[in-house]
Amino acid sequence: TQLLEQSPQFLSIQEGENLTVYCNSSSVFSSLQWYRQEPGEGPVLLVTVVTGGEVKKLKRLTFQFGDARKDSSLHITAAQPGDTGLYLCAEGGGGATNKLIFGTGTLLAVQP
Amino acid sequence: SAVISQKPSRDICQRGTSLTIQCQVDSQVTMMFWYRQQPGQSLTLIATANQGSEATYESGFVIDKFPISRPNLTFSTLTVSNMSPEDSSIYLCSARGGAWNEQYFGPGTRLTVT
Protein backbone atom coordinates (compact mmCIF):
# COMPACT_ATOMS: atom_id res chain seq x y z
CA THR A 1 0.00 0.00 0.00
CA GLN A 2 1.36 3.37 -0.99
CA LEU A 3 1.91 5.79 1.87
CA LEU A 4 1.87 9.55 1.41
CA GLU A 5 3.58 11.41 4.19
CA GLN A 6 3.13 15.15 4.48
CA SER A 7 5.27 17.53 6.47
CA PRO A 8 4.91 19.49 8.53
CA GLN A 9 1.75 18.16 10.17
CA PHE A 10 0.90 21.56 11.66
CA LEU A 11 2.09 25.04 10.75
CA SER A 12 1.20 28.35 12.35
CA ILE A 13 2.71 31.43 10.76
CA GLN A 14 2.22 35.18 10.56
CA GLU A 15 0.65 36.94 7.61
CA GLY A 16 3.26 37.75 4.98
CA GLU A 17 5.56 34.82 5.72
CA ASN A 18 6.47 32.16 3.18
CA LEU A 19 6.04 28.44 3.72
CA THR A 20 6.55 25.09 2.03
CA VAL A 21 4.58 21.89 2.50
CA TYR A 22 6.01 18.57 1.40
CA CYS A 23 4.44 15.35 0.20
CA ASN A 24 6.53 12.19 -0.06
CA SER A 25 5.60 8.76 -1.30
CA SER A 26 7.03 5.30 -0.85
CA SER A 27 6.59 4.69 -4.57
CA VAL A 28 6.23 6.54 -7.85
CA PHE A 29 3.16 8.71 -8.36
CA SER A 30 1.15 8.28 -11.54
CA SER A 31 -0.26 11.76 -10.98
CA LEU A 32 -0.53 13.95 -7.93
CA GLN A 33 -3.16 16.40 -6.81
CA TRP A 34 -3.17 19.07 -4.14
CA TYR A 35 -6.34 19.99 -2.30
CA ARG A 36 -7.21 22.67 0.25
CA GLN A 37 -10.00 22.16 2.73
CA GLU A 38 -11.48 24.98 4.78
CA PRO A 39 -13.44 24.35 7.99
CA GLY A 40 -16.94 23.08 7.29
CA GLU A 41 -16.24 22.47 3.61
CA GLY A 42 -15.08 19.59 1.48
CA PRO A 43 -11.60 19.54 -0.07
CA VAL A 44 -11.21 21.67 -3.20
CA LEU A 45 -8.80 20.70 -5.95
CA LEU A 46 -5.95 23.21 -6.41
CA VAL A 47 -3.81 21.53 -9.04
CA THR A 48 -2.89 18.27 -10.74
CA VAL A 49 0.72 17.50 -11.69
CA VAL A 50 1.59 14.65 -13.96
CA THR A 51 5.11 15.07 -15.40
CA GLY A 52 8.30 14.66 -13.36
CA GLY A 53 9.92 18.07 -12.73
CA GLU A 54 6.71 19.91 -13.52
CA VAL A 55 6.12 23.29 -11.88
CA LYS A 56 2.72 24.95 -11.76
CA LYS A 57 1.79 28.33 -10.33
CA LEU A 58 -1.57 29.41 -8.99
CA LYS A 59 -1.27 33.04 -7.91
CA ARG A 60 0.92 32.92 -4.77
CA LEU A 61 1.03 29.12 -4.75
CA THR A 62 3.78 27.19 -6.53
CA PHE A 63 3.52 23.44 -6.94
CA GLN A 64 6.48 21.28 -7.86
CA PHE A 65 6.59 17.62 -8.83
CA GLY A 66 9.85 15.83 -8.16
CA ASP A 67 11.91 14.58 -11.07
CA ALA A 68 11.47 10.99 -9.89
CA ARG A 69 7.75 11.54 -9.27
CA LYS A 70 7.99 10.36 -5.68
CA ASP A 71 7.65 13.73 -4.01
CA SER A 72 5.95 17.07 -4.41
CA SER A 73 5.98 20.43 -2.70
CA LEU A 74 3.62 23.34 -2.30
CA HIS A 75 5.15 26.74 -1.65
CA ILE A 76 3.05 29.71 -0.55
CA THR A 77 4.49 33.20 -0.88
CA ALA A 78 3.34 36.00 1.42
CA ALA A 79 0.72 33.89 3.19
CA GLN A 80 -2.63 35.48 3.99
CA PRO A 81 -5.27 34.51 6.57
CA GLY A 82 -7.41 33.25 3.68
CA ASP A 83 -4.79 30.55 3.06
CA THR A 84 -5.70 28.95 6.39
CA GLY A 85 -6.90 25.38 5.96
CA LEU A 86 -5.98 21.74 5.65
CA TYR A 87 -3.72 20.99 2.69
CA LEU A 88 -3.86 17.48 1.30
CA CYS A 89 -1.87 15.80 -1.39
CA ALA A 90 -3.42 12.84 -3.14
CA GLU A 91 -2.18 10.27 -5.56
CA GLY A 92 -4.52 9.23 -8.32
CA GLY A 93 -3.75 5.94 -9.95
CA GLY A 94 -4.20 5.95 -13.67
CA GLY A 95 -7.50 4.73 -15.03
CA ALA A 96 -11.10 5.36 -14.08
CA THR A 97 -11.30 2.66 -11.43
CA ASN A 98 -8.29 3.54 -9.27
CA LYS A 99 -9.07 5.37 -6.08
CA LEU A 100 -7.31 8.42 -4.72
CA ILE A 101 -4.90 7.90 -1.86
CA PHE A 102 -4.65 10.92 0.40
CA GLY A 103 -1.65 12.17 2.30
CA THR A 104 -1.58 12.67 6.03
CA GLY A 105 -2.43 16.37 5.67
CA THR A 106 -0.89 19.68 6.76
CA LEU A 107 -2.98 22.00 8.90
CA LEU A 108 -2.00 25.61 8.22
CA ALA A 109 -3.01 28.59 10.31
CA VAL A 110 -2.06 32.07 9.10
CA GLN A 111 -2.36 34.67 11.83
CA PRO A 112 -3.21 38.27 10.85
CA SER B 1 -16.36 20.56 -12.62
CA ALA B 2 -19.13 19.09 -10.50
CA VAL B 3 -21.19 20.59 -7.69
CA ILE B 4 -22.03 18.14 -4.92
CA SER B 5 -24.57 18.63 -2.17
CA GLN B 6 -25.14 16.54 0.93
CA LYS B 7 -28.01 16.22 3.34
CA PRO B 8 -28.07 16.59 6.28
CA SER B 9 -25.17 18.95 6.89
CA ARG B 10 -25.00 17.85 10.50
CA ASP B 11 -26.89 15.68 12.93
CA ILE B 12 -26.78 14.51 16.51
CA CYS B 13 -27.95 10.93 16.90
CA GLN B 14 -28.44 8.51 19.72
CA ARG B 15 -26.45 5.34 20.12
CA GLY B 16 -28.04 2.35 18.40
CA THR B 17 -29.91 4.33 15.74
CA SER B 18 -29.12 4.70 12.04
CA LEU B 19 -28.64 7.73 9.82
CA THR B 20 -28.84 7.93 6.05
CA ILE B 21 -26.78 10.62 4.32
CA GLN B 22 -27.79 11.71 0.83
CA CYS B 23 -25.42 12.90 -1.87
CA GLN B 24 -26.53 14.66 -5.06
CA VAL B 25 -24.26 15.58 -7.97
CA ASP B 26 -25.29 18.19 -10.54
CA SER B 27 -24.05 16.09 -13.46
CA GLN B 28 -23.71 12.44 -14.32
CA VAL B 29 -20.55 10.87 -12.97
CA THR B 30 -19.07 7.42 -13.31
CA MET B 31 -17.81 6.92 -9.80
CA MET B 32 -18.88 8.16 -6.42
CA PHE B 33 -17.02 7.69 -3.16
CA TRP B 34 -17.73 7.96 0.53
CA TYR B 35 -15.04 9.13 2.96
CA ARG B 36 -14.75 9.61 6.69
CA GLN B 37 -12.68 12.35 8.27
CA GLN B 38 -11.86 13.44 11.78
CA PRO B 39 -11.62 17.25 12.02
CA GLY B 40 -8.19 18.47 10.95
CA GLN B 41 -7.10 15.06 9.76
CA SER B 42 -6.86 13.30 6.43
CA LEU B 43 -9.62 11.42 4.62
CA THR B 44 -10.24 7.69 4.89
CA LEU B 45 -12.07 6.00 2.03
CA ILE B 46 -15.06 3.94 3.17
CA ALA B 47 -16.26 2.62 -0.16
CA THR B 48 -16.65 3.21 -3.87
CA ALA B 49 -20.23 3.38 -5.11
CA ASN B 50 -20.83 2.12 -8.62
CA GLN B 51 -24.13 2.57 -10.38
CA GLY B 52 -25.89 -0.71 -11.00
CA SER B 53 -23.61 -2.81 -8.82
CA GLU B 54 -22.71 -3.33 -5.19
CA ALA B 55 -20.38 -0.91 -3.53
CA THR B 56 -16.75 -1.87 -3.03
CA TYR B 57 -15.65 -1.47 0.59
CA GLU B 58 -12.20 -0.72 1.94
CA SER B 59 -10.51 -2.75 4.62
CA GLY B 60 -12.15 -2.13 7.97
CA PHE B 61 -15.52 -1.15 6.54
CA VAL B 62 -18.40 -3.58 5.96
CA ILE B 63 -21.69 -3.41 4.14
CA ASP B 64 -23.78 -4.27 7.20
CA LYS B 65 -22.43 -1.23 9.02
CA PHE B 66 -22.28 1.17 6.06
CA PRO B 67 -24.83 0.15 3.42
CA ILE B 68 -24.61 2.25 0.29
CA SER B 69 -27.05 2.79 -2.55
CA ARG B 70 -26.33 4.20 -6.00
CA PRO B 71 -29.59 4.15 -7.91
CA ASN B 72 -28.45 6.41 -10.76
CA LEU B 73 -25.50 8.41 -12.09
CA THR B 74 -26.15 11.50 -9.96
CA PHE B 75 -27.21 10.21 -6.54
CA SER B 76 -25.95 8.02 -3.71
CA THR B 77 -26.74 7.37 -0.07
CA LEU B 78 -24.62 6.15 2.82
CA THR B 79 -26.27 4.73 5.92
CA VAL B 80 -24.40 4.58 9.21
CA SER B 81 -26.09 1.71 11.05
CA ASN B 82 -26.37 0.89 14.73
CA MET B 83 -24.31 3.94 15.60
CA SER B 84 -21.90 4.23 18.48
CA PRO B 85 -19.92 7.26 19.68
CA GLU B 86 -16.93 5.97 17.68
CA ASP B 87 -18.91 6.72 14.50
CA SER B 88 -18.84 10.44 15.31
CA SER B 89 -17.04 11.96 12.36
CA ILE B 90 -17.43 13.97 9.18
CA TYR B 91 -18.73 11.93 6.26
CA LEU B 92 -17.92 13.22 2.78
CA CYS B 93 -19.32 12.27 -0.57
CA SER B 94 -17.12 12.59 -3.64
CA ALA B 95 -17.45 12.14 -7.39
CA ARG B 96 -14.92 11.65 -10.11
CA GLY B 97 -14.73 13.19 -13.54
CA GLY B 98 -12.15 14.50 -15.95
CA ALA B 99 -9.27 12.95 -17.80
CA TRP B 100 -6.78 12.94 -14.90
CA ASN B 101 -8.86 11.53 -12.08
CA GLU B 102 -9.98 14.92 -10.84
CA GLN B 103 -12.30 14.43 -7.96
CA TYR B 104 -14.84 16.75 -6.36
CA PHE B 105 -16.22 16.71 -2.84
CA GLY B 106 -19.39 17.59 -1.08
CA PRO B 107 -19.34 19.84 2.01
CA GLY B 108 -19.61 16.87 4.38
CA THR B 109 -22.04 15.71 7.02
CA ARG B 110 -20.91 16.20 10.59
CA LEU B 111 -22.26 13.37 12.69
CA THR B 112 -22.22 13.29 16.47
CA VAL B 113 -23.36 10.14 18.26
CA THR B 114 -24.29 10.45 21.92
Side-chain angles (χ1 to χ4, degrees), chain B residues 11 13 19 80 83 87-91 109-113:
Chain B
D11 208 341
C13 301
L19 175 72
V80 187
M83 289 183 284
D87 295 321
S88 297
S89 191
I90 300 167
Y91 291 85
T109 295
R110 183 180 286 262
L111 171 62
T112 302
V113 183

Side-chain angles (χ1 to χ4, degrees), chain A residues 31 33 35 37 40-43 45 48 50 86 88 92-93 95-100 102-104 107, chain B residues 30-31 33 35 37 40-43 45 48 58 90 92 96 100-108 110:
Chain A
S31 65
Q33 300 174 4
Y35 291 82
Q37 183 179 23
E41 309 269 342
L45 179 67
T48 301
V50 178
L86 178 67
L88 296 155
T97 57
N98 287 0
K99 56 204 175 204
L100 280 181
F102 280 91
T104 50
L107 194 55
Chain B
T30 51
M31 304 186 79
F33 306 87
Y35 290 84
Q37 182 183 34
Q41 297 185 25
S42 190
L43 281 71
L45 181 63
T48 301
E58 297 300 304
I90 300 167
L92 294 126
R96 173 170 298 165
W100 293 107
N101 265 359
E102 294 183 22
Q103 197 157 321
Y104 302 93
F105 290 82
R110 183 180 286 262

Side-chain angles (χ1 to χ4, degrees), chain B residues 62-102:
Chain B
V62 295
I63 188 170
D64 290 345
K65 176 67 175 177
F66 297 101
I68 287 172
S69 77
R70 178 84 196 271
N72 57 52
L73 291 174
T74 64
F75 186 79
S76 178
T77 66
L78 169 76
T79 298
V80 187
S81 303
N82 189 25
M83 289 183 284
S84 66
E86 292 71 37
D87 295 321
S88 297
S89 191
I90 300 167
Y91 291 85
L92 294 126
C93 171
S94 180
R96 173 170 298 165
W100 293 107
N101 265 359
E102 294 183 22

Side-chain angles (χ1 to χ4, degrees), chain A residues 24-97:
Chain A
N24 292 283
S25 172
S26 56
S27 54
V28 174
F29 293 114
S30 56
S31 65
L32 186 110
Q33 300 174 4
W34 283 95
Y35 291 82
R36 178 171 66 211
Q37 183 179 23
E38 298 182 17
E41 309 269 342
V44 174
L45 179 67
L46 296 173
V47 76
T48 301
V49 286
V50 178
T51 307
E54 185 175 4
V55 176
K56 284 192 174 180
K57 288 182 184 278
L58 185 65
K59 297 183 181 178
R60 293 177 293 101
L61 279 61
T62 301
F63 304 86
Q64 189 157 7
F65 202 14
D67 291 339
R69 293 164 57 201
K70 293 182 70 175
D71 60 274
S72 180
S73 65
L74 158 59
H75 182 79
I76 302 179
T77 303
Q80 299 177 2
D83 296 326
T84 293
L86 178 67
Y87 287 82
L88 296 155
C89 64
E91 195 272 340
T97 57

